[in-house]
């Protein structure tokens, strides 16, 4: 069981696809300290906690000392360095030859080559530092070659490409992994050419393959290579971690593959230049990720002259928990109008939420636009911040009260050279909110310094919204929406300046599509008037201007109307979780399950993204946690746990195989709930009770505040809680397993949050000979030839739901719980 610990020196966890991982496993203390990992929750009524990992590193040469310029990892030994922990389970050869190739394994950690496994080692090939090192020298071949006793049919061969050779002046070269037939030059495998930096998926006959598939080599994406045969097809696959695989080529299985036994060969050579080598590791390993996160710190300790660094690490919840409180949902949507492959595209954003008495309004887009100053025209009038804003946002707005159309105050500012350059290169989308009863006024204006290009959003004398613009030469064009908007209500305006040229008013496309509006190189922004005239009388909020650099397409934001007016109330819970994840900079969430009720608004700001996600999780009796194999979140709906199918248990285990000194059957009132008082925002407060439970055990009350959109849904949630915990039965809460010694080790490692398994052959004192449990979390300690996992579990019976006429799930007073 090699432990695989990798650090992403210089990488950022928020950009996991760009991290190049460095194997630091050889420095981890697996003899005494081991690696300790925690994950999940203690029980099904508790929230999942941030996952942690602790490991001690040998720092004899100072490589893990922060700020040490002699470290090979300098200057990236620093807090928040990405780290991941996996175990690599090596195969065991059993039975008689020919053997399936999946049984061929070698971690290359022994002091010398295993000559039984590699009877032929030729050229300058050696085994060193836990790897097979194959020289790629000019005019010579080196390699490791097995005996011909393996078969690929229905099997696979996997290896970690730990180091590729440099070009070193060669005209061509080859570092290869081949499944060899009995005919010279007929083979399947992978070849890397150091002269070109290209990785090839090969199926050669006579040393040639007209259908070879070339891949520009990536140390990130091609760290692991695999050849697999299944059902008459050969697959060439690559992986960045040895766990998640990508198919790069497929081919109908050549006739020689099922007809022959094979040898596996690692080989290297080159033409010209100077020598180098390729290194292979973990041949045949089955990788199972255990932790993905970041290092909190690198504390250097000494015992005499012996230096170690014991690092503690936390999964992505560390980053999520330190994010600042969210703004309103509307503001978050504006700030995160991301375009695939481009990212956030807001260029200037003035929410106008400054406190009363402020003399300027600031840009919060991060694009470097200047502040907008309160500017006096003539005399009189006021401009103040802090007025009531849009109802569902909790945000304030700016109020403009001029003495006349030409006497008062408005906002002006220089948006800067970067904004102007983007405006010259790309059209813009403009959006804002306003409220007024006065016609004939300008809401917003933009212009370039020489006034050749100008753009104005205004109300004409009839209160209709109009767009005015001038192109080079100063010709004025006016587009009239024919929509009267000076009705004293808040209105949302979006002008899509991209390919559609559409105008949206209150989330609905306007009565026309604008012709091309070529107002470029805009730089100066006026809000609440334009160039000293048509001073606005009313309120304005959330002015945003977007440029999508390098992107051609239509990017519009009419749905921001819903963000401000409803806070997306009624959207399914899984969509809300993904929306919140986007606010946190996560591109996606793995959604498991299919029951996703509508949730209420979380429109106003002030709470953290994790707090909002937890509100949704609690509302839905769901599970939210960090993935253990990459930088991402998983969200499980409650139906993931409904009626676990015995045929799909993750594993089963005999009671005798547990670490039985720590097994406990609990029957207490820790989870007992027989009275629930439940409420929702703006809804009724309702009470659900379980009279028989109250009579037997007394009152155990719990409050439930959920983001439901109807009172009936609140009642359903309350009944679900009471039906599960009015009289919880005895349960195994801790199941400790020395997994390394188990023949189903891989199955045990696959168990994660909400997985279930059965413990059978329980002692006679148990309420049943077999108990099925659901995994809520675990703690584990990995050492040399030891992997102790303490599963925190709950009774799977708590999640059974009624199925009509089912022999198991329609038992009166036992499994008649209605699904929620």
């Amino acid at each position: 069981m090699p432990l695989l610990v990798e650090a992403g020196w210089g990488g950022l966890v928020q950009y996991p696809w760009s991290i190049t991982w460095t194997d630091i496993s050889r420095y981890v203390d697996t003899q005494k300290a081991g690696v300790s990992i925690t994950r999940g929750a203690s029980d099904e009524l508790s929230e999942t906690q941030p996952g942690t990992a602790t490991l001690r590193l040998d720092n004899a040469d100072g490589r893990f000392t922060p700020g040490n310029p002699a470290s090979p990892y300098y200057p990236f030994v620093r807090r928040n360095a990405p780290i991941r922990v996996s175990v690599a389970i090596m195969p065991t050869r059993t039975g008689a030859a020919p053997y399936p190739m999946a049984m061929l394994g070698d971690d290359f950690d022994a002091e010398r080559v295993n000559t039984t496994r590699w009877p032929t080692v030729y050229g300058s090939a050696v085994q060193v530092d836990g790897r097979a090192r194959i020289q790629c020298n000019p005019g010579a071949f080196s390699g490791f070659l097995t005996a011909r006793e393996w078969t690929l049919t229905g099997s696979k061969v996997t290896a970690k490409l730990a180091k590729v050779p440099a070009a070193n002046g060669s005209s061509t070269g080859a570092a290869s992994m081949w499944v060899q037939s009995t005919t010279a030059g007929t083979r399947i495998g992978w070849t890397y050419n150091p002269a070109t930096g290209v990785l090839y998926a090969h199926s050669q006959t006579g040393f040639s393959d007209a259908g070879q598939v070339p891949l520009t080599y990536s140390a990130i994406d091609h760290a692991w290579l695999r050849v697999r045969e299944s059902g008459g097809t050969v697959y060439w696959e690559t992986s960045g971690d040895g766990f998640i695989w990508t198919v790069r080529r497929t081919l109908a299985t050549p006739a020689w593959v099922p007809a022959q036994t094979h040898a596996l060969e690692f080989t290297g050579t080159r033409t010209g230049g100077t020598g180098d080598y390729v290194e292979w590791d973990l041949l045949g390993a089955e990788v199972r990720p255990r932790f993905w996160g970041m290092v909190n710190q690198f504390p250097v300790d000494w015992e005499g002259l012996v230096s170690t660094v014991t690092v503690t690490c936390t999964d992505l919840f560390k980053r999520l928990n330190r994010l600042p409180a969210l703004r309103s949902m509307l503001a978050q949507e504006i700030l995160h109008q991301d375009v695939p492959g481009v990212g956030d595209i807001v260029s200037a954003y003035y929410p106008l939420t400054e406190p009363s008495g402020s003399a300027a309004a600031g840009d919060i887009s991060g694009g470097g636009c200047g502040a907008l100053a309160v500017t006096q025209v003539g005399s009189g009038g006021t401009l103040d911040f802090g007025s009531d804003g849009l109802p569902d946002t909790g945000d304030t707005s700016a109020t403009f009260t001029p003495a006349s159309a030409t006497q008062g105050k408005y906002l002006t500012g220089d948006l800067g050279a970067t904004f102007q350059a983007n405006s010259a290169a790309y059209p813009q989308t403009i959006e804002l909110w306003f409220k007024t009863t006065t016609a004939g006024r300008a809401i917003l204006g933009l212009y370039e310094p020489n006034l050749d290009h100008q753009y104005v959003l205004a109300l004409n004398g009839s209160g209709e919204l109009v767009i005015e613009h001038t192109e080079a030469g100063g010709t004025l064009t006016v587009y009239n929406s024919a929509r009267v908007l000076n009705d004293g209500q808040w209105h949302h305006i979006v002008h899509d300046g991209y390919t559609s040229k559409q105008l949206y008013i209150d989330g609905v496309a306007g009565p026309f599509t604008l012709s091309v509006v070529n107002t470029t190189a805009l730089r100066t922004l006026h809000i609440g008037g334009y160039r000293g005239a048509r001073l606005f009388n009313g309120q304005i909020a959330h002015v945003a201007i977007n440029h999508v650099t390098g992107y051609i397409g239509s990017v519009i934001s009419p749905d921001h109307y819903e963000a401000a007016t409803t806070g997306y109330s009624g959207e399914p819970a899984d969509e809300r979780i993904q929306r919140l994840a986007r606010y946190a900079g996560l591109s996606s969430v793995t959604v498991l399950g299919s029951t996703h009720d509508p949730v209420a608004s979380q429109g106003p700001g002030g709470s953290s993204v994790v707090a909002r996600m937890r509100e949704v999780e609690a509302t839905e009796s769901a599970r939210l946690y960090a993935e253990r194999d990459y930088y991402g979140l998983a969200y499980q709906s409650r139906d993931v746990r409904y009626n676990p199918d015995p045929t799909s248990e993750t594993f089963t285990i005999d009671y005798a195989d547990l670490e039985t000194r720590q097994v406990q059957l609990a029957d207490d009132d820790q989870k007992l709930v027989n009275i629930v008082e439940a409420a929702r925002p703006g809804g009724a407060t309702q009470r659900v009770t379980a009279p028989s439970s109250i009579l037997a055990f007394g009152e155990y009350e719990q409050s439930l505040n959920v983001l439901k959109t109807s009172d009936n849904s609140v009642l359903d949630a309350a009944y679900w809680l009471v039906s599960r915990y009015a009289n919880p039965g005895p349960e195994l809460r801790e199941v400790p397993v020395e997994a390394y010694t188990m023949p189903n080790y891989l199955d045990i490692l696959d168990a994660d949050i909400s997985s279930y398994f059965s413990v059978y052959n329980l002692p006679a004192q148990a309420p049943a000979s077999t108990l099925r449990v659901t995994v809520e979390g675990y703690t584990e300690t990995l050492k040399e030839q030891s992997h102790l996992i303490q599963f925190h579990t709950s009774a799977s019976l708590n999640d059974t739901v009624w199925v009509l006429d089912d022999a198991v799930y329609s038992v009166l007073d036992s499994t008649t719980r209605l699904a929620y």
Side-chain angles (χ1 to χ4, degrees):
M1 181 203 71
L3 181 66
L4 185 57
V5 179
E6 297 166 294
W9 305 120
L12 300 173
V13 291
Q14 60 267 40
Y15 306 119
W17 56 86
S18 64
I19 297 174
T20 300
W21 296 94
T22 300
D23 188 346
I24 60 171
S25 307
R26 59 187 298 194
Y27 303 101
V28 179
D29 177 5
T30 58
Q31 298 295 326
K32 294 182 179 179
V35 177
S36 298
I37 296 172
T38 65
R39 178 170 174 77
S42 58
D43 60 73
E44 76 269 39
L45 294 179
S46 301
E47 292 180 347
T48 56
Q49 299 300 306
T52 63
T54 303
L55 55 153
R56 187 165 65 188
L57 302 170
D58 180 357
N59 193 42
D61 59 359
R63 67 179 52 231
F64 298 112
T65 300
N68 178 13
S71 168
Y73 314 132
Y74 178 83
F76 300 118
V77 180
R78 60 192 184 194
R79 68 189 72 86
N80 295 333
I83 192 167
R84 64 186 186 186
V85 180
S86 305
V87 292
I89 297 87
M90 305 307 299
T92 301
R93 188 172 69 176
T94 59
Y99 307 101
M101 198 156 273
M103 287 186 181
L104 175 57
D106 198 338
D107 60 14
F108 303 106
D109 286 340
E111 294 182 1
R112 59 182 62 87
V113 174
N114 184 325
T115 54
T116 300
R117 191 174 293 123
W118 306 103
T120 305
V121 178
Y122 59 94
S124 305
V126 294
Q127 184 168 304
V128 61
D129 293 334
R131 296 174 177 176
R133 179 176 295 179
I134 314 297
Q135 295 296 136
C136 296
N137 293 331
F141 286 88
S142 297
F144 279 42
L145 177 65
T146 69
R148 187 171 298 281
E149 57 185 359
W150 305 97
T151 59
L152 184 61
T153 302
S155 194
K156 62 187 176 182
V157 57
T158 304
K160 183 180 181 184
L161 182 53
K163 179 194 176 300
V164 297
N168 289 354
S170 299
S171 58
T172 189
S176 306
M177 177 178 78
W178 292 114
V179 176
Q180 299 279 16
S181 79
T182 56
T183 302
T186 298
R187 52 195 182 175
I188 287 174
W190 290 94
T191 293
Y192 173 73
N193 186 337
T196 61
V198 175
L199 181 69
Y200 293 94
H202 275 304
S203 176
Q204 292 187 345
T205 300
F207 299 100
S208 179
D209 179 12
Q212 65 186 15
V213 174
L215 304 171
T216 300
Y217 171 72
S218 164
I220 297 171
D221 299 327
H222 308 144
W224 292 76
L225 304 178
R226 183 165 76 182
V227 175
R228 177 170 60 91
E229 199 282 337
S230 178
T233 302
V234 177
Y235 299 85
W236 287 256
E237 297 164 311
T238 67
S239 174
D241 59 3
F243 180 65
I244 299 173
W245 293 89
T246 300
V247 176
R248 303 297 185 177
R249 182 186 181 184
T250 61
L251 187 70
T253 303
W256 63 266
V257 171
Q260 302 175 6
T261 55
H262 321 306
L264 181 77
E265 184 174 23
F266 290 122
T267 185
T269 188
R270 74 171 66 227
T271 300
T274 56
D276 199 359
Y277 54 85
V278 59
E279 289 185 336
W280 299 90
D281 198 5
L282 297 174
L283 172 65
E286 287 280 356
V287 176
R288 292 294 184 271
R290 307 308 296 170
F291 179 83
W292 205 116
M294 63 190 82
V295 178
N296 298 329
Q297 59 175 330
F298 285 90
V300 181
D301 297 312
W302 286 272
E303 185 175 342
L305 297 178
V306 177
S307 177
T308 58
V309 174
T310 301
V311 298
T312 57
C313 318
T314 311
D315 65 22
L316 73 84
F317 271 101
K318 175 185 177 181
R319 182 170 181 270
L320 297 185
N321 282 327
R322 72 167 184 261
L323 293 175
L326 293 176
R327 299 176 182 273
S328 67
M329 191 164 279
L330 171 61
Q332 293 297 149
E333 286 294 314
I334 292 173
L335 287 168
H336 293 88
Q337 297 178 76
D338 55 312
V339 175
V342 177
D344 296 336
I345 48 85
V346 62
S347 296
Y349 176 29
Y350 296 90
L352 306 182
T353 53
E354 281 76 11
S356 179
S358 299
D363 164 47
I364 65 169
S365 72
C369 296
L372 303 180
V374 175
T375 304
Q376 178 74 54
V377 179
S379 62
T382 61
L383 195 172
D384 197 14
F385 298 94
S387 304
D388 289 341
L390 302 165
D392 200 59
T393 65
D395 294 334
T396 59
S397 64
T399 299
F400 301 78
T401 312
S404 68
T406 57
Q407 301 282 322
K409 297 178 179 180
Y410 70 127
L411 295 170
T412 66
D414 181 355
L415 300 184
T418 299
F419 182 96
Q420 184 178 24
N422 286 335
S423 178
Y426 312 102
Q428 53 260 329
T429 284
I430 296 172
E431 74 169 300
L432 57 81
W433 290 78
F434 75 91
K435 180 170 72 169
T436 185
T437 58
T438 305
R441 303 300 173 93
I443 305 167
L444 170 148
L446 280 161
Y447 63 89
E448 66 169 321
N450 62 11
L451 299 179
D452 278 347
H453 296 89
Q454 303 177 66
Y455 177 97
V456 179
L457 276 171
L459 298 180
N460 65 15
S462 301
E464 297 169 332
L465 181 73
V466 297
I467 296 175
E468 307 168 1
H469 76 95
T470 62
E471 299 185 16
T475 302
L476 175 65
T477 304
V478 179
Y479 293 95
N480 189 340
S481 72
R483 288 285 303 275
V484 175
L485 300 179
N486 62 329
D487 55 4
Q489 303 298 315
W490 280 106
H491 292 288
H492 181 223
I493 307 300
V494 174
H495 175 203
D496 168 26
Y498 297 94
T499 53
S500 76
K501 309 300 179 186
Q502 186 63 268
L503 176 70
Y504 293 83
I505 299 174
D506 296 340
V508 179
F512 57 83
T513 298
L514 304 177
S515 63
V516 174
V517 179
N518 186 28
T519 46
T520 66
L522 304 175
R523 177 162 177 163
T524 304
L525 173 64
H526 290 178
I527 297 176
Y530 185 59
R531 299 182 62 214
R534 292 189 285 173
L535 299 180
F536 184 79
N537 185 8
Q539 292 173 259
I540 300 178
H542 297 284
V543 176
I545 307 169
N546 305 331
H547 297 105
V548 183
T549 57
Y551 178 78
I552 299 175
S554 178
V555 180
I556 57 177
S557 50
D559 68 320
H560 292 177
Y561 179 76
E562 187 179 355
T565 56
T566 70
Y568 299 110
S569 179
E571 73 177 337
D574 59 323
E575 293 182 16
R576 177 65 57 80
I577 288 289
Q578 293 179 86
R579 185 182 300 280
L580 294 170
R582 179 161 52 85
Y583 298 164
L586 297 175
S587 58
S588 65
V589 177
T590 301
V591 175
L592 304 169
S594 58
T595 300
H596 306 293
D597 290 352
V599 292
S601 167
Q602 295 172 290
S607 58
S608 70
V609 67
V610 172
R612 290 193 182 184
M613 287 180 171
R614 293 298 190 192
E615 288 177 345
V616 178
E617 177 189 30
T619 294
E620 291 296 285
S621 295
R623 268 291 185 252
L624 180 75
Y625 54 90
E627 298 279 16
R628 60 185 178 184
D629 58 344
Y630 73 101
Y631 183 75
L633 283 176
Y635 174 77
Q636 293 180 348
S637 68
R638 57 185 176 274
D639 69 310
V640 166
R641 299 183 175 212
Y642 286 173
N643 297 347
D645 182 357
T647 64
S648 60
E649 290 181 322
T650 306
F651 65 94
T652 61
I653 191 165
D654 194 316
Y655 170 80
D657 289 329
L658 303 182
E659 299 298 300
T660 55
R661 288 176 297 176
Q662 302 174 58
V663 177
Q664 182 188 59
L665 183 74
D667 182 26
D668 52 32
D669 60 0
Q670 175 183 320
K671 301 179 182 180
L672 203 155
V673 178
N674 53 31
I675 301 174
V676 173
E677 189 167 282
R680 69 182 179 93
T685 299
Q686 304 176 86
R687 200 163 188 257
V688 172
T689 65
S692 61
S693 174
I694 294 172
L695 181 64
F697 308 116
E699 296 184 350
Y700 286 79
E701 185 168 351
Q702 182 171 319
S703 296
L704 191 64
N705 293 295
V706 289
L707 296 173
K708 296 295 186 182
T709 57
S710 74
D711 292 330
N712 284 340
S713 295
V714 174
L715 204 58
D716 289 341
Y719 273 118
W720 175 250
L721 187 59
V722 168
S723 68
R724 295 169 76 204
Y725 301 112
N727 185 16
E731 64 181 3
L732 291 173
R733 292 186 184 159
E734 300 291 331
V735 180
V737 181
E738 176 47 79
Y740 178 74
T741 62
M742 295 292 103
N744 55 347
Y745 185 25
L746 282 170
D747 295 332
I748 296 172
L749 292 182
D750 287 338
D752 200 359
I753 296 167
S754 296
S755 297
Y756 49 93
F757 62 90
S758 289
V759 181
Y760 61 92
N761 286 337
L762 285 160
Q765 300 85 355
S769 62
T770 299
L771 291 177
R772 182 179 300 139
V773 296
T774 301
V775 176
E776 306 297 343
Y778 55 80
T779 60
E780 60 184 327
T781 302
L782 299 94
K783 294 184 178 181
E784 188 71 26
Q785 296 188 343
S786 173
H787 191 168
L788 180 62
I789 306 178
Q790 178 100 8
F791 288 106
H792 312 313
T793 59
S794 62
S796 298
L797 190 64
N798 291 338
D799 296 294
T800 57
V801 299
W802 179 68
V803 179
L804 179 64
D805 292 332
D806 186 275
V808 176
Y809 297 115
S810 63
V811 180
L812 186 65
D813 292 330
S814 176
T815 58
T816 53
R817 183 182 300 118
L818 293 177
Y820 151 59

